[in-house]
Amino acid sequence: MTLATLAPRFASLTPQQRATDLQFALIKADVNVPTENLLFKKISADALAPIMAKYCVAIEELLPADGFINGLDFPTMADLAVLIITK
């Protein structure tokens, strides 16, 4: 989060926008656990599918209908987190 606060474009984010960025970053961190379990063969791809489906439903409920998550004209950390999750 420190780099995001240093960049001039992100310096003007409100506390609420920063909290939203952190919320999505932490969701991404939660998603890492089951995907890493797949990577290290602790679970199968079939076991990962329903786990990811639950995360996707939760994330979709938080997304705006269009545009970037914080409603700005540029992406922030929250948008990057969703991009990483979906790729």
PDB file of all heavy atoms in Angstrom, residues 31-50:
ATOM      1  N   VAL A  31      -7.846 -15.392  -1.799  1.00  0.00           N
ATOM      2  CA  VAL A  31      -7.951 -16.260  -2.982  1.00  0.00           C
ATOM      3  C   VAL A  31      -6.639 -17.002  -3.212  1.00  0.00           C
ATOM      4  O   VAL A  31      -6.634 -18.123  -3.734  1.00  0.00           O
ATOM      5  CB  VAL A  31      -8.356 -15.433  -4.226  1.00  0.00           C
ATOM      6  CG1 VAL A  31      -8.192 -16.226  -5.502  1.00  0.00           C
ATOM      7  CG2 VAL A  31      -9.786 -14.929  -4.085  1.00  0.00           C
ATOM      8  N   ASN A  32      -5.532 -16.399  -2.815  1.00  0.00           N
ATOM      9  CA  ASN A  32      -4.231 -17.047  -3.012  1.00  0.00           C
ATOM     10  C   ASN A  32      -4.135 -18.390  -2.303  1.00  0.00           C
ATOM     11  O   ASN A  32      -3.460 -19.298  -2.792  1.00  0.00           O
ATOM     12  CB  ASN A  32      -3.099 -16.149  -2.513  1.00  0.00           C
ATOM     13  CG  ASN A  32      -2.771 -15.034  -3.470  1.00  0.00           C
ATOM     14  OD1 ASN A  32      -3.239 -14.998  -4.604  1.00  0.00           O
ATOM     15  ND2 ASN A  32      -1.984 -14.093  -3.011  1.00  0.00           N
ATOM     16  N   VAL A  33      -4.772 -18.530  -1.162  1.00  0.00           N
ATOM     17  CA  VAL A  33      -4.636 -19.761  -0.377  1.00  0.00           C
ATOM     18  C   VAL A  33      -5.112 -20.991  -1.163  1.00  0.00           C
ATOM     19  O   VAL A  33      -4.335 -21.928  -1.359  1.00  0.00           O
ATOM     20  CB  VAL A  33      -5.347 -19.642   0.988  1.00  0.00           C
ATOM     21  CG1 VAL A  33      -5.327 -20.972   1.724  1.00  0.00           C
ATOM     22  CG2 VAL A  33      -4.697 -18.549   1.822  1.00  0.00           C
ATOM     23  N   PRO A  34      -6.366 -21.030  -1.651  1.00  0.00           N
ATOM     24  CA  PRO A  34      -6.766 -22.220  -2.387  1.00  0.00           C
ATOM     25  C   PRO A  34      -6.042 -22.384  -3.725  1.00  0.00           C
ATOM     26  O   PRO A  34      -5.776 -23.517  -4.150  1.00  0.00           O
ATOM     27  CB  PRO A  34      -8.275 -22.044  -2.591  1.00  0.00           C
ATOM     28  CG  PRO A  34      -8.537 -20.597  -2.404  1.00  0.00           C
ATOM     29  CD  PRO A  34      -7.479 -20.106  -1.470  1.00  0.00           C
ATOM     30  N   THR A  35      -5.684 -21.283  -4.374  1.00  0.00           N
ATOM     31  CA  THR A  35      -4.971 -21.432  -5.645  1.00  0.00           C
ATOM     32  C   THR A  35      -3.556 -21.956  -5.422  1.00  0.00           C
ATOM     33  O   THR A  35      -3.052 -22.740  -6.222  1.00  0.00           O
ATOM     34  CB  THR A  35      -4.951 -20.109  -6.443  1.00  0.00           C
ATOM     35  OG1 THR A  35      -4.411 -19.068  -5.633  1.00  0.00           O
ATOM     36  CG2 THR A  35      -6.344 -19.727  -6.890  1.00  0.00           C
ATOM     37  N   GLU A  36      -2.936 -21.548  -4.322  1.00  0.00           N
ATOM     38  CA  GLU A  36      -1.623 -22.107  -3.984  1.00  0.00           C
ATOM     39  C   GLU A  36      -1.754 -23.585  -3.617  1.00  0.00           C
ATOM     40  O   GLU A  36      -0.869 -24.390  -3.929  1.00  0.00           O
ATOM     41  CB  GLU A  36      -0.983 -21.330  -2.848  1.00  0.00           C
ATOM     42  CG  GLU A  36      -0.506 -19.955  -3.256  1.00  0.00           C
ATOM     43  CD  GLU A  36      -0.097 -19.092  -2.090  1.00  0.00           C
ATOM     44  OE1 GLU A  36      -0.189 -19.531  -0.919  1.00  0.00           O
ATOM     45  OE2 GLU A  36       0.313 -17.942  -2.341  1.00  0.00           O
ATOM     46  N   ASN A  37      -2.848 -23.943  -2.959  1.00  0.00           N
ATOM     47  CA  ASN A  37      -3.068 -25.360  -2.648  1.00  0.00           C
ATOM     48  C   ASN A  37      -3.168 -26.191  -3.919  1.00  0.00           C
ATOM     49  O   ASN A  37      -2.680 -27.314  -3.954  1.00  0.00           O
ATOM     50  CB  ASN A  37      -4.333 -25.532  -1.798  1.00  0.00           C
ATOM     51  CG  ASN A  37      -4.123 -25.109  -0.368  1.00  0.00           C
ATOM     52  OD1 ASN A  37      -2.999 -25.033   0.112  1.00  0.00           O
ATOM     53  ND2 ASN A  37      -5.206 -24.818   0.320  1.00  0.00           N
ATOM     54  N   LEU A  38      -3.776 -25.636  -4.940  1.00  0.00           N
ATOM     55  CA  LEU A  38      -3.828 -26.326  -6.230  1.00  0.00           C
ATOM     56  C   LEU A  38      -2.424 -26.426  -6.815  1.00  0.00           C
ATOM     57  O   LEU A  38      -2.016 -27.495  -7.297  1.00  0.00           O
ATOM     58  CB  LEU A  38      -4.765 -25.605  -7.201  1.00  0.00           C
ATOM     59  CG  LEU A  38      -4.801 -26.170  -8.621  1.00  0.00           C
ATOM     60  CD1 LEU A  38      -5.429 -27.569  -8.619  1.00  0.00           C
ATOM     61  CD2 LEU A  38      -5.565 -25.242  -9.547  1.00  0.00           C
ATOM     62  N   LEU A  39      -1.696 -25.330  -6.777  1.00  0.00           N
ATOM     63  CA  LEU A  39      -0.340 -25.300  -7.322  1.00  0.00           C
ATOM     64  C   LEU A  39       0.546 -26.360  -6.673  1.00  0.00           C
ATOM     65  O   LEU A  39       1.312 -27.038  -7.347  1.00  0.00           O
ATOM     66  CB  LEU A  39       0.266 -23.906  -7.128  1.00  0.00           C
ATOM     67  CG  LEU A  39       1.692 -23.707  -7.609  1.00  0.00           C
ATOM     68  CD1 LEU A  39       1.766 -23.824  -9.127  1.00  0.00           C
ATOM     69  CD2 LEU A  39       2.222 -22.363  -7.156  1.00  0.00           C
ATOM     70  N   PHE A  40       0.410 -26.509  -5.354  1.00  0.00           N
ATOM     71  CA  PHE A  40       1.237 -27.475  -4.640  1.00  0.00           C
ATOM     72  C   PHE A  40       0.556 -28.838  -4.483  1.00  0.00           C
ATOM     73  O   PHE A  40       0.957 -29.652  -3.655  1.00  0.00           O
ATOM     74  CB  PHE A  40       1.648 -26.907  -3.281  1.00  0.00           C
ATOM     75  CG  PHE A  40       2.554 -25.717  -3.417  1.00  0.00           C
ATOM     76  CD1 PHE A  40       2.129 -24.455  -3.065  1.00  0.00           C
ATOM     77  CD2 PHE A  40       3.829 -25.860  -3.938  1.00  0.00           C
ATOM     78  CE1 PHE A  40       2.951 -23.351  -3.200  1.00  0.00           C
ATOM     79  CE2 PHE A  40       4.666 -24.765  -4.084  1.00  0.00           C
ATOM     80  CZ  PHE A  40       4.228 -23.508  -3.719  1.00  0.00           C
ATOM     81  N   LYS A  41      -0.487 -29.039  -5.289  1.00  0.00           N
ATOM     82  CA  LYS A  41      -1.186 -30.326  -5.392  1.00  0.00           C
ATOM     83  C   LYS A  41      -1.783 -30.812  -4.075  1.00  0.00           C
ATOM     84  O   LYS A  41      -1.881 -31.999  -3.816  1.00  0.00           O
ATOM     85  CB  LYS A  41      -0.272 -31.380  -5.995  1.00  0.00           C
ATOM     86  CG  LYS A  41       0.222 -30.988  -7.383  1.00  0.00           C
ATOM     87  CD  LYS A  41       1.047 -32.060  -8.017  1.00  0.00           C
ATOM     88  CE  LYS A  41       1.739 -31.593  -9.243  1.00  0.00           C
ATOM     89  NZ  LYS A  41       1.100 -31.418 -10.425  1.00  0.00           N
ATOM     90  N   LYS A  42      -2.213 -29.857  -3.238  1.00  0.00           N
ATOM     91  CA  LYS A  42      -2.912 -30.220  -2.007  1.00  0.00           C
ATOM     92  C   LYS A  42      -4.396 -30.414  -2.265  1.00  0.00           C
ATOM     93  O   LYS A  42      -5.085 -31.068  -1.485  1.00  0.00           O
ATOM     94  CB  LYS A  42      -2.701 -29.140  -0.939  1.00  0.00           C
ATOM     95  CG  LYS A  42      -1.268 -29.028  -0.468  1.00  0.00           C
ATOM     96  CD  LYS A  42      -1.121 -27.959   0.571  1.00  0.00           C
ATOM     97  CE  LYS A  42       0.321 -27.840   1.031  1.00  0.00           C
ATOM     98  NZ  LYS A  42       0.463 -26.761   2.023  1.00  0.00           N
ATOM     99  N   ILE A  43      -4.899 -29.792  -3.351  1.00  0.00           N
ATOM    100  CA  ILE A  43      -6.283 -29.991  -3.789  1.00  0.00           C
ATOM    101  C   ILE A  43      -6.288 -30.139  -5.309  1.00  0.00           C
ATOM    102  O   ILE A  43      -5.317 -29.796  -5.981  1.00  0.00           O
ATOM    103  CB  ILE A  43      -7.217 -28.824  -3.377  1.00  0.00           C
ATOM    104  CG1 ILE A  43      -6.797 -27.517  -4.046  1.00  0.00           C
ATOM    105  CG2 ILE A  43      -7.284 -28.682  -1.870  1.00  0.00           C
ATOM    106  CD1 ILE A  43      -7.795 -26.377  -3.848  1.00  0.00           C
ATOM    107  N   SER A  44      -7.392 -30.648  -5.820  1.00  0.00           N
ATOM    108  CA  SER A  44      -7.516 -30.823  -7.273  1.00  0.00           C
ATOM    109  C   SER A  44      -8.217 -29.618  -7.887  1.00  0.00           C
ATOM    110  O   SER A  44      -8.836 -28.814  -7.193  1.00  0.00           O
ATOM    111  CB  SER A  44      -8.324 -32.088  -7.573  1.00  0.00           C
ATOM    112  OG  SER A  44      -9.667 -31.896  -7.161  1.00  0.00           O
ATOM    113  N   ALA A  45      -8.144 -29.528  -9.201  1.00  0.00           N
ATOM    114  CA  ALA A  45      -8.848 -28.457  -9.915  1.00  0.00           C
ATOM    115  C   ALA A  45     -10.351 -28.564  -9.682  1.00  0.00           C
ATOM    116  O   ALA A  45     -11.043 -27.541  -9.582  1.00  0.00           O
ATOM    117  CB  ALA A  45      -8.521 -28.513 -11.397  1.00  0.00           C
ATOM    118  N   ASP A  46     -10.849 -29.773  -9.579  1.00  0.00           N
ATOM    119  CA  ASP A  46     -12.283 -29.966  -9.311  1.00  0.00           C
ATOM    120  C   ASP A  46     -12.669 -29.429  -7.932  1.00  0.00           C
ATOM    121  O   ASP A  46     -13.767 -28.916  -7.750  1.00  0.00           O
ATOM    122  CB  ASP A  46     -12.653 -31.448  -9.401  1.00  0.00           C
ATOM    123  CG  ASP A  46     -12.568 -31.974 -10.827  1.00  0.00           C
ATOM    124  OD1 ASP A  46     -12.682 -31.159 -11.771  1.00  0.00           O
ATOM    125  OD2 ASP A  46     -12.391 -33.192 -10.992  1.00  0.00           O
ATOM    126  N   ALA A  47     -11.776 -29.530  -6.981  1.00  0.00           N
ATOM    127  CA  ALA A  47     -12.046 -29.005  -5.640  1.00  0.00           C
ATOM    128  C   ALA A  47     -11.926 -27.477  -5.613  1.00  0.00           C
ATOM    129  O   ALA A  47     -12.600 -26.809  -4.817  1.00  0.00           O
ATOM    130  CB  ALA A  47     -11.086 -29.622  -4.627  1.00  0.00           C
ATOM    131  N   LEU A  48     -11.097 -26.918  -6.485  1.00  0.00           N
ATOM    132  CA  LEU A  48     -10.912 -25.472  -6.519  1.00  0.00           C
ATOM    133  C   LEU A  48     -12.114 -24.749  -7.132  1.00  0.00           C
ATOM    134  O   LEU A  48     -12.452 -23.643  -6.696  1.00  0.00           O
ATOM    135  CB  LEU A  48      -9.644 -25.117  -7.309  1.00  0.00           C
ATOM    136  CG  LEU A  48      -9.320 -23.636  -7.438  1.00  0.00           C
ATOM    137  CD1 LEU A  48      -9.050 -23.018  -6.067  1.00  0.00           C
ATOM    138  CD2 LEU A  48      -8.132 -23.424  -8.362  1.00  0.00           C
ATOM    139  N   ALA A  49     -12.769 -25.367  -8.091  1.00  0.00           N
ATOM    140  CA  ALA A  49     -13.862 -24.707  -8.825  1.00  0.00           C
ATOM    141  C   ALA A  49     -14.964 -24.151  -7.907  1.00  0.00           C
ATOM    142  O   ALA A  49     -15.318 -22.976  -8.035  1.00  0.00           O
ATOM    143  CB  ALA A  49     -14.434 -25.649  -9.872  1.00  0.00           C
ATOM    144  N   PRO A  50     -15.514 -24.928  -6.985  1.00  0.00           N
ATOM    145  CA  PRO A  50     -16.568 -24.358  -6.133  1.00  0.00           C
ATOM    146  C   PRO A  50     -16.056 -23.282  -5.174  1.00  0.00           C
ATOM    147  O   PRO A  50     -16.782 -22.346  -4.833  1.00  0.00           O
ATOM    148  CB  PRO A  50     -17.123 -25.556  -5.372  1.00  0.00           C
ATOM    149  CG  PRO A  50     -16.101 -26.620  -5.472  1.00  0.00           C
ATOM    150  CD  PRO A  50     -15.340 -26.352  -6.736  1.00  0.00           C
TER     151      PRO A  50
END
